[in-house]
Amino acid sequence: MAQHKVNYAAEGGLPVVLTTVDKLVQWGRSNSVWALTYGLACCAIEMMAAGASRYDFDRFGTIFRASPRQADIMVVAGTLTKKHAEFIRRLYDQMAEPKWVISMGSCANTGGMFNTYATVQGVDRIIPVDIYLPGCAPRPETLQFALMMLQKQIRRESAFRALKPKRLV
Amino acid sequence: MREYKPKGDVQAKAYYSDRFWVAPQLPTFSVDSDEIFAEQSKKINENFEVIKEYIQTGHLVVEVKAEDNKDAVAFFKDELGYNFLMEIAAVDFLEKRGVFEIVYEMLSTTTKKRARIKCCLRENQALESVNDHFRMADWSEREMYDLSGVKINNHPYLKRIIMPDDWQGHPLRKDYPMIGDEAAQWYEVDKIFGKEYRDVIGPENRDQARVDRFDTQRYSKIKHEVPKGAEFSDTKTDFGDYQEKDGVFLVTKLKKEDSVQLKERR
């Protein structure tokens, strides 16, 4: 993982006084986080399983979209190679605010077992990550749990906070 | 200062080596031990200067001069009936012998035999493309050029095929470090943010085994989670549930005591 320090408390990520409007807006947001399909490697199989009928992401209001312009979260599922790093950044930039990122699996978190010249050692070197999901590969339940934790985090945020860049912009 | 160690063979070195381990060698046989190969070998010897020839794992292995590679492949195709070129590969022996070993792996579907044409190429010597005889050679030669840095003459489109176009170095060479040289390690940062962002993002953490439980920047001890970068604390933390205590509007929460385990599948 990247070594740069992020002060979440200073950037509006932690407990703030919430109004009723905040609650309403964030309730809506948290129950319709549409995900950008970003399957890069074997974690994508688990991500697809989480989206399919048995685990059923739809009931959380999470529908996979094929376009970054319609997506709220990006589930980076798999190994990110250095050749591809440029494109993940471009797609992240194309997503409309507010946006979140789940880094799914060891490879996306830290490069995992691929301690080589061609693998990005953690996607947080390229894009800001909200939730790191451990596992190789994580089970669909784990992704569900990550999503629910993200929903909880979204509900905690203020709806009208100034859109500050998280970092790396 | 750190002691200087030659890096020409750096990828080939193992962390651990067994003193008593002997690398297994595949047995080789004379070409006369197989009728078809013996006959073919005679024809090859009439046309080319053969440096070495033997049979290994049922393959006829012929080493020719690097200048003869295209003629040899054409000869195997047209005269000996090897109608498939299965694979082209370059093996780096620069440190040991100063050459690349180029291997053409061929298959004949009529005689059901396999043959391997080898040639040794010096580092700055260019290889003739065999693309005219086998279209398959197009990508294989590009791969060879990309990963080993073997130069190919008369190739229709010699461009990197696996690594990005602006990559520096050739990763399958033995002197290329496994974790990449400086350009490789900073590749994505340099490309996306620019070189001045190296300080912001910091170097890659390549030590996979290192876990510091007091480092809350990159790790968090289970049941002792604190916010990122905060002081490590020994007190147990309550991680909390996936939902707020008083619930969420219109979202039902699954309670453990409400769930039923089915005895039989419905």
Short mmCIF file of all heavy atoms in Angstrom, two decimals, chain B residues 33-67:
data_model
loop_
_atom_site.label_atom_id
_atom_site.label_comp_id
_atom_site.label_asym_id
_atom_site.label_seq_id
_atom_site.Cartn_x
_atom_site.Cartn_y
_atom_site.Cartn_z
N SER B 33 19.48 -43.25 -34.53
CA SER B 33 18.62 -44.18 -33.81
C SER B 33 17.18 -44.13 -34.30
O SER B 33 16.37 -44.96 -33.92
CB SER B 33 18.67 -43.90 -32.32
OG SER B 33 18.28 -42.57 -32.08
N ASP B 34 16.85 -43.17 -35.14
CA ASP B 34 15.49 -43.10 -35.70
C ASP B 34 15.59 -43.05 -37.22
O ASP B 34 16.33 -42.24 -37.77
CB ASP B 34 14.78 -41.86 -35.17
CG ASP B 34 13.32 -41.83 -35.53
OD1 ASP B 34 13.01 -41.67 -36.74
OD2 ASP B 34 12.49 -41.98 -34.63
N GLU B 35 14.84 -43.92 -37.87
CA GLU B 35 14.95 -44.04 -39.34
C GLU B 35 14.64 -42.74 -40.06
O GLU B 35 15.40 -42.27 -40.88
CB GLU B 35 13.98 -45.11 -39.82
CG GLU B 35 14.62 -46.45 -40.14
CD GLU B 35 13.58 -47.46 -40.56
OE1 GLU B 35 12.78 -47.13 -41.45
OE2 GLU B 35 13.55 -48.57 -39.97
N ILE B 36 13.47 -42.18 -39.70
CA ILE B 36 13.02 -40.97 -40.41
C ILE B 36 13.99 -39.82 -40.15
O ILE B 36 14.39 -39.10 -41.07
CB ILE B 36 11.58 -40.60 -39.97
CG1 ILE B 36 10.64 -41.74 -40.34
CG2 ILE B 36 11.14 -39.32 -40.63
CD1 ILE B 36 9.24 -41.58 -39.80
N PHE B 37 14.38 -39.68 -38.89
CA PHE B 37 15.29 -38.59 -38.54
C PHE B 37 16.65 -38.76 -39.22
O PHE B 37 17.27 -37.79 -39.64
CB PHE B 37 15.46 -38.52 -37.02
CG PHE B 37 14.29 -37.89 -36.31
CD1 PHE B 37 14.07 -38.13 -34.96
CD2 PHE B 37 13.42 -37.05 -36.99
CE1 PHE B 37 13.01 -37.55 -34.30
CE2 PHE B 37 12.35 -36.47 -36.33
CZ PHE B 37 12.14 -36.72 -35.00
N ALA B 38 17.12 -39.99 -39.31
CA ALA B 38 18.42 -40.25 -39.94
C ALA B 38 18.40 -39.80 -41.40
O ALA B 38 19.33 -39.14 -41.89
CB ALA B 38 18.76 -41.72 -39.84
N GLU B 39 17.29 -40.13 -42.04
CA GLU B 39 17.15 -39.75 -43.46
C GLU B 39 17.08 -38.21 -43.61
O GLU B 39 17.73 -37.63 -44.47
CB GLU B 39 15.85 -40.38 -43.98
CG GLU B 39 15.79 -40.54 -45.48
CD GLU B 39 14.44 -41.12 -45.86
OE1 GLU B 39 14.12 -42.22 -45.35
OE2 GLU B 39 13.72 -40.46 -46.62
N GLN B 40 16.30 -37.62 -42.71
CA GLN B 40 16.15 -36.16 -42.77
C GLN B 40 17.48 -35.47 -42.47
O GLN B 40 17.83 -34.47 -43.09
CB GLN B 40 15.09 -35.71 -41.78
CG GLN B 40 13.70 -36.09 -42.22
CD GLN B 40 12.63 -35.69 -41.22
OE1 GLN B 40 12.93 -35.38 -40.08
NE2 GLN B 40 11.38 -35.72 -41.65
N SER B 41 18.18 -36.02 -41.50
CA SER B 41 19.46 -35.42 -41.10
C SER B 41 20.43 -35.41 -42.26
O SER B 41 21.22 -34.47 -42.45
CB SER B 41 20.02 -36.20 -39.91
OG SER B 41 21.40 -36.14 -39.90
N LYS B 42 20.40 -36.48 -43.07
CA LYS B 42 21.30 -36.56 -44.24
C LYS B 42 21.02 -35.38 -45.17
O LYS B 42 21.92 -34.70 -45.64
CB LYS B 42 21.06 -37.89 -44.95
CG LYS B 42 22.31 -38.40 -45.66
CD LYS B 42 22.05 -39.74 -46.32
CE LYS B 42 22.03 -40.90 -45.33
NZ LYS B 42 21.50 -42.14 -45.96
N LYS B 43 19.73 -35.16 -45.43
CA LYS B 43 19.34 -34.06 -46.33
C LYS B 43 19.75 -32.71 -45.75
O LYS B 43 20.21 -31.82 -46.48
CB LYS B 43 17.81 -34.06 -46.52
CG LYS B 43 17.32 -35.14 -47.45
CD LYS B 43 15.83 -34.92 -47.71
CE LYS B 43 15.20 -36.14 -48.34
NZ LYS B 43 13.74 -36.08 -48.30
N ILE B 44 19.58 -32.55 -44.46
CA ILE B 44 19.93 -31.27 -43.82
C ILE B 44 21.43 -31.02 -43.95
O ILE B 44 21.87 -29.93 -44.29
CB ILE B 44 19.51 -31.26 -42.33
CG1 ILE B 44 18.00 -31.44 -42.20
CG2 ILE B 44 19.91 -29.96 -41.67
CD1 ILE B 44 17.56 -31.84 -40.81
N ASN B 45 22.19 -32.07 -43.69
CA ASN B 45 23.65 -31.93 -43.74
C ASN B 45 24.16 -31.57 -45.14
O ASN B 45 25.20 -30.94 -45.28
CB ASN B 45 24.32 -33.20 -43.25
CG ASN B 45 24.50 -33.16 -41.74
OD1 ASN B 45 25.29 -32.39 -41.22
ND2 ASN B 45 23.72 -33.96 -41.03
N GLU B 46 23.42 -32.01 -46.16
CA GLU B 46 23.81 -31.66 -47.53
C GLU B 46 23.62 -30.18 -47.80
O GLU B 46 24.30 -29.59 -48.62
CB GLU B 46 23.00 -32.49 -48.53
CG GLU B 46 23.47 -33.92 -48.68
CD GLU B 46 22.43 -34.78 -49.37
OE1 GLU B 46 21.50 -34.22 -49.98
OE2 GLU B 46 22.56 -36.02 -49.28
N ASN B 47 22.64 -29.57 -47.14
CA ASN B 47 22.28 -28.19 -47.46
C ASN B 47 22.79 -27.14 -46.48
O ASN B 47 22.93 -25.99 -46.85
CB ASN B 47 20.76 -28.07 -47.54
CG ASN B 47 20.22 -28.75 -48.78
OD1 ASN B 47 20.24 -28.18 -49.86
ND2 ASN B 47 19.78 -29.98 -48.61
N PHE B 48 23.00 -27.53 -45.24
CA PHE B 48 23.38 -26.54 -44.22
C PHE B 48 24.61 -26.99 -43.45
O PHE B 48 24.92 -28.18 -43.39
CB PHE B 48 22.23 -26.32 -43.23
CG PHE B 48 21.00 -25.77 -43.86
CD1 PHE B 48 19.94 -26.62 -44.18
CD2 PHE B 48 20.91 -24.43 -44.17
CE1 PHE B 48 18.81 -26.12 -44.78
CE2 PHE B 48 19.77 -23.93 -44.75
CZ PHE B 48 18.71 -24.78 -45.07
N GLU B 49 25.26 -26.01 -42.88
CA GLU B 49 26.35 -26.33 -41.97
C GLU B 49 25.75 -26.61 -40.59
O GLU B 49 25.28 -25.70 -39.92
CB GLU B 49 27.31 -25.14 -41.88
CG GLU B 49 28.55 -25.43 -41.07
CD GLU B 49 29.35 -24.16 -40.83
OE1 GLU B 49 29.41 -23.32 -41.76
OE2 GLU B 49 29.87 -24.00 -39.73
N VAL B 50 25.72 -27.88 -40.22
CA VAL B 50 25.08 -28.26 -38.96
C VAL B 50 26.11 -28.25 -37.84
O VAL B 50 27.16 -28.88 -37.94
CB VAL B 50 24.43 -29.65 -39.09
CG1 VAL B 50 23.89 -30.11 -37.74
CG2 VAL B 50 23.31 -29.62 -40.11
N ILE B 51 25.83 -27.53 -36.79
CA ILE B 51 26.77 -27.44 -35.68
C ILE B 51 26.58 -28.61 -34.71
O ILE B 51 27.52 -29.20 -34.23
CB ILE B 51 26.60 -26.09 -34.96
CG1 ILE B 51 26.89 -24.95 -35.94
CG2 ILE B 51 27.54 -25.99 -33.75
CD1 ILE B 51 26.44 -23.59 -35.48
N LYS B 52 25.33 -28.92 -34.42
CA LYS B 52 25.03 -30.01 -33.50
C LYS B 52 23.75 -30.66 -33.97
O LYS B 52 22.87 -29.99 -34.50
CB LYS B 52 24.79 -29.42 -32.09
CG LYS B 52 25.86 -29.76 -31.07
CD LYS B 52 25.37 -29.37 -29.69
CE LYS B 52 25.94 -28.04 -29.26
NZ LYS B 52 25.36 -27.53 -28.02
N GLU B 53 23.63 -31.98 -33.78
CA GLU B 53 22.33 -32.61 -34.03
C GLU B 53 22.19 -33.83 -33.15
O GLU B 53 23.12 -34.58 -32.94
CB GLU B 53 22.16 -32.96 -35.51
CG GLU B 53 23.24 -33.83 -36.09
CD GLU B 53 22.95 -34.26 -37.51
OE1 GLU B 53 21.86 -33.97 -38.03
OE2 GLU B 53 23.81 -34.91 -38.11
N TYR B 54 21.01 -33.98 -32.58
CA TYR B 54 20.75 -35.12 -31.71
C TYR B 54 19.23 -35.27 -31.56
O TYR B 54 18.46 -34.43 -32.03
CB TYR B 54 21.42 -34.96 -30.34
CG TYR B 54 21.14 -33.64 -29.65
CD1 TYR B 54 20.02 -33.48 -28.85
CD2 TYR B 54 22.00 -32.55 -29.81
CE1 TYR B 54 19.76 -32.28 -28.22
CE2 TYR B 54 21.75 -31.35 -29.19
CZ TYR B 54 20.63 -31.21 -28.39
OH TYR B 54 20.38 -30.02 -27.78
N ILE B 55 18.83 -36.35 -30.90
CA ILE B 55 17.40 -36.56 -30.63
C ILE B 55 17.18 -36.45 -29.13
O ILE B 55 17.90 -37.08 -28.34
CB ILE B 55 16.92 -37.93 -31.13
CG1 ILE B 55 17.07 -38.03 -32.65
CG2 ILE B 55 15.45 -38.16 -30.75
CD1 ILE B 55 16.73 -39.38 -33.21
N GLN B 56 16.23 -35.63 -28.74
CA GLN B 56 15.92 -35.45 -27.32
C GLN B 56 14.41 -35.46 -27.15
O GLN B 56 13.70 -34.76 -27.88
CB GLN B 56 16.50 -34.10 -26.86
CG GLN B 56 16.66 -34.01 -25.36
CD GLN B 56 17.40 -32.74 -24.96
OE1 GLN B 56 17.24 -31.70 -25.60
NE2 GLN B 56 18.19 -32.82 -23.93
N THR B 57 13.93 -36.24 -26.20
CA THR B 57 12.49 -36.44 -25.97
C THR B 57 11.72 -36.63 -27.28
O THR B 57 10.65 -36.08 -27.48
CB THR B 57 11.84 -35.27 -25.20
OG1 THR B 57 12.06 -34.06 -25.94
CG2 THR B 57 12.39 -35.16 -23.81
N GLY B 58 12.31 -37.39 -28.17
CA GLY B 58 11.63 -37.68 -29.43
C GLY B 58 11.63 -36.55 -30.43
O GLY B 58 10.95 -36.60 -31.45
N HIS B 59 12.37 -35.48 -30.17
CA HIS B 59 12.48 -34.37 -31.11
C HIS B 59 13.83 -34.42 -31.81
O HIS B 59 14.84 -34.72 -31.17
CB HIS B 59 12.42 -33.02 -30.38
CG HIS B 59 11.13 -32.73 -29.73
ND1 HIS B 59 10.59 -31.48 -29.67
CD2 HIS B 59 10.23 -33.53 -29.10
CE1 HIS B 59 9.45 -31.53 -29.03
NE2 HIS B 59 9.21 -32.76 -28.67
N LEU B 60 13.82 -34.13 -33.08
CA LEU B 60 15.09 -33.96 -33.77
C LEU B 60 15.58 -32.53 -33.49
O LEU B 60 14.89 -31.57 -33.78
CB LEU B 60 14.89 -34.15 -35.28
CG LEU B 60 16.08 -33.81 -36.16
CD1 LEU B 60 17.21 -34.77 -35.93
CD2 LEU B 60 15.67 -33.82 -37.63
N VAL B 61 16.73 -32.40 -32.89
CA VAL B 61 17.27 -31.09 -32.57
C VAL B 61 18.46 -30.81 -33.47
O VAL B 61 19.41 -31.59 -33.50
CB VAL B 61 17.70 -31.00 -31.09
CG1 VAL B 61 18.15 -29.59 -30.76
CG2 VAL B 61 16.57 -31.42 -30.18
N VAL B 62 18.36 -29.73 -34.22
CA VAL B 62 19.43 -29.38 -35.14
C VAL B 62 19.87 -27.96 -34.85
O VAL B 62 19.05 -27.05 -34.81
CB VAL B 62 18.94 -29.46 -36.61
CG1 VAL B 62 20.06 -29.12 -37.56
CG2 VAL B 62 18.39 -30.84 -36.91
N GLU B 63 21.15 -27.77 -34.65
CA GLU B 63 21.64 -26.41 -34.47
C GLU B 63 22.33 -25.96 -35.74
O GLU B 63 23.22 -26.63 -36.25
CB GLU B 63 22.60 -26.33 -33.28
CG GLU B 63 22.97 -24.88 -33.01
CD GLU B 63 23.89 -24.70 -31.81
OE1 GLU B 63 23.88 -25.56 -30.92
OE2 GLU B 63 24.59 -23.68 -31.80
N VAL B 64 21.86 -24.82 -36.24
CA VAL B 64 22.47 -24.27 -37.46
C VAL B 64 23.01 -22.89 -37.14
O VAL B 64 22.83 -22.38 -36.04
CB VAL B 64 21.43 -24.18 -38.61
CG1 VAL B 64 20.97 -25.56 -39.01
CG2 VAL B 64 20.27 -23.31 -38.22
N LYS B 65 23.68 -22.29 -38.12
CA LYS B 65 24.19 -20.93 -37.91
C LYS B 65 23.03 -19.94 -37.91
O LYS B 65 22.02 -20.15 -38.58
CB LYS B 65 25.18 -20.57 -39.03
CG LYS B 65 26.49 -21.31 -38.90
CD LYS B 65 27.58 -20.65 -39.74
CE LYS B 65 27.20 -20.61 -41.21
NZ LYS B 65 28.22 -20.01 -42.06
N ALA B 66 23.19 -18.85 -37.19
CA ALA B 66 22.10 -17.88 -37.07
C ALA B 66 21.75 -17.26 -38.41
O ALA B 66 20.61 -16.86 -38.65
CB ALA B 66 22.48 -16.80 -36.07
N GLU B 67 22.71 -17.19 -39.34
CA GLU B 67 22.45 -16.59 -40.65
C GLU B 67 21.54 -17.50 -41.49
O GLU B 67 20.89 -17.06 -42.43
CB GLU B 67 23.74 -16.33 -41.42
CG GLU B 67 24.68 -15.31 -40.79
CD GLU B 67 25.52 -15.89 -39.67
OE1 GLU B 67 25.77 -17.11 -39.66
OE2 GLU B 67 25.89 -15.11 -38.77
#
